[in-house]
Amino acid sequence: MQRTALVCGAGGFIGGHLVKRLKAEGFWVRGVDLKEQEYGVSAADDFVLGDLREQSTIREVINIQFDEVYQLAADMGGAGYIFTGENDANVMHNSASINLNVVDQCHKLGIKRVFYSSSACMYPEHNQLDPNNPNCAEDSAYPANPDSEYGWEKLFSERLYLAYNRNFDMECRIARYHNIFGPEGTWDGGKEKAPAAICRKVAVAQDGGTIDVWGDGLQTRSFLYIDECVEGTIKLLRSDFEGPVNIGSEEMISINNLANMAISISGKSLKINNIAGPEGVRGRNSDNRLIMDRLGWAPNQSLRTGIEKTYHWIAAELMRKHSQAA
Ligand code: NAD
């Protein structure tokens, strides 16, 4: 019998890629999202435009015993959205409502395998003050002290899915994603993240010019290419390990060096202008010891390879936008 999957947040970046992958594996896939996929057309067999905060949508889309459910829908964005404080109530209310609804309807229908996408943003701020030595080991999560309400909601929802595992015999799987990037991710408009924002700024800049980078540029992060994220996600959902576990890269880089990488890929000569802006914690890196131990998995592509693909995709998008406007 054909296997079935539901992807919540299928119009988003990771959801769109995940649908493609599940289709390639032969699944019948239903996607649901508030909006259509931003780039290209969804590969889902059935794409429902709907709001997962609403019970009516939940009952409409979770109405069969899916073999796999991937819950990626969240009210989120880059640092410019999460850290200003202006979106805190929406972020918490919207994402918590989605998770409360999805897990409960899955339980009611006897669906066991539900993947939940948490985030490295749930790790305590005090372990991420040293840019050269951040601690993101899974067991460092408590005592909790995330630096944003986005992180607090992720922590709450992790516990929600784990409670359903304990009390209702479900097999929810939880990953803490660390900065996923790649083609078909948001690259302008304010919700884009650092790799896409930097690639766009470099692609737009005139040779010999400057690009603005938020903060002093010495803050560090690691970034995981989208294909590797999808691979890790599927592997986790189908495993007997509930998590929470990091899905990320251990190739840590400062934001200025990320900008230098994009500049070198562009072949342009550009200067970096560090300006005040929301920047989040000082340092963050994935710690992949647990996922290696439990699933034997680690990403294997270099950051530069992923940034090259992303830079060229964003440069092409800019050209396309430009020629449409002309
Ligand atoms: P995204 O914003 O591209 O996708 C999320 C999707 O959820 C969007 O298409 C949005 O329209 C949809 N959505 C929001 N509210 C909804 C609602 N009420 N009903 C239906 N759909 C709704 O984000 P993404 O980068 O694809 O991330 C997917 C998941 O992974 C999110 O839960 C995010 O918090 C988590 N995550 C992502 C990253 C990353 O670097 N991309 C890092 C950590 C965690």
Side-chain angles (χ1 to χ4, degrees), residues 1-65:
M1 224 170 65
Q2 191 177 21
R3 287 174 298 166
T4 54
L6 173 70
V7 177
C8 302
F13 169 48
I14 301 172
H17 283 271
L18 188 60
V19 169
K20 254 189 258 173
R21 165 69 188 262
L22 291 167
K23 280 306 302 166
E25 288 189 10
F27 274 75
W28 183 90
V29 182
R30 173 177 289 155
V32 55
D33 203 296
L34 280 176
K35 62 172 180 63
E36 299 281 356
Q37 197 171 290
E38 202 170 350
Y39 308 102
V41 179
S42 172
D45 297 277
D46 180 28
F47 190 96
V48 179
L49 272 182
D51 187 338
L52 290 163
R53 290 168 302 184
E54 302 292 339
Q55 284 296 332
S56 53
T57 308
I58 290 287
R59 283 194 295 267
E60 179 191 345
V61 298
I62 309 180
N63 62 351
I64 57 166
Q65 265 216 355

Side-chain angles (χ1 to χ4, degrees), residues 13-15 17-18 180-183 224-231:
F13 169 48
I14 301 172
H17 283 271
L18 188 60
I180 316 302
F181 77 101
L224 182 71
Y225 191 68
I226 180 65
D227 293 354
E228 314 227 48
C229 168
V230 167
E231 183 67 32

Side-chain angles (χ1 to χ4, degrees), residues 199-275:
C199 286
R200 184 199 68 234
K201 287 175 187 178
V202 170
V204 166
Q206 300 288 339
D207 198 10
T210 59
I211 60 159
D212 288 341
V213 171
W214 286 348
D216 63 8
L218 302 178
Q219 68 273 28
T220 54
R221 292 292 185 278
S222 67
F223 301 95
L224 182 71
Y225 191 68
I226 180 65
D227 293 354
E228 314 227 48
C229 168
V230 167
E231 183 67 32
T233 298
I234 285 178
K235 227 177 159 61
L236 177 62
L237 182 72
R238 296 176 189 164
S239 78
D240 59 6
F241 180 41
E242 69 178 8
V245 68
N246 293 326
I247 290 189
S249 157
E250 289 183 325
E251 189 181 340
M252 191 169 79
I253 188 169
S254 73
I255 297 300
N256 274 357
N257 279 341
L258 179 70
N260 283 326
M261 190 181 273
I263 291 168
S264 112
I265 289 166
S266 76
K268 297 178 189 176
S269 165
L270 299 174
K271 284 212 175 73
I272 294 171
N273 183 27
N274 289 112
I275 59 164

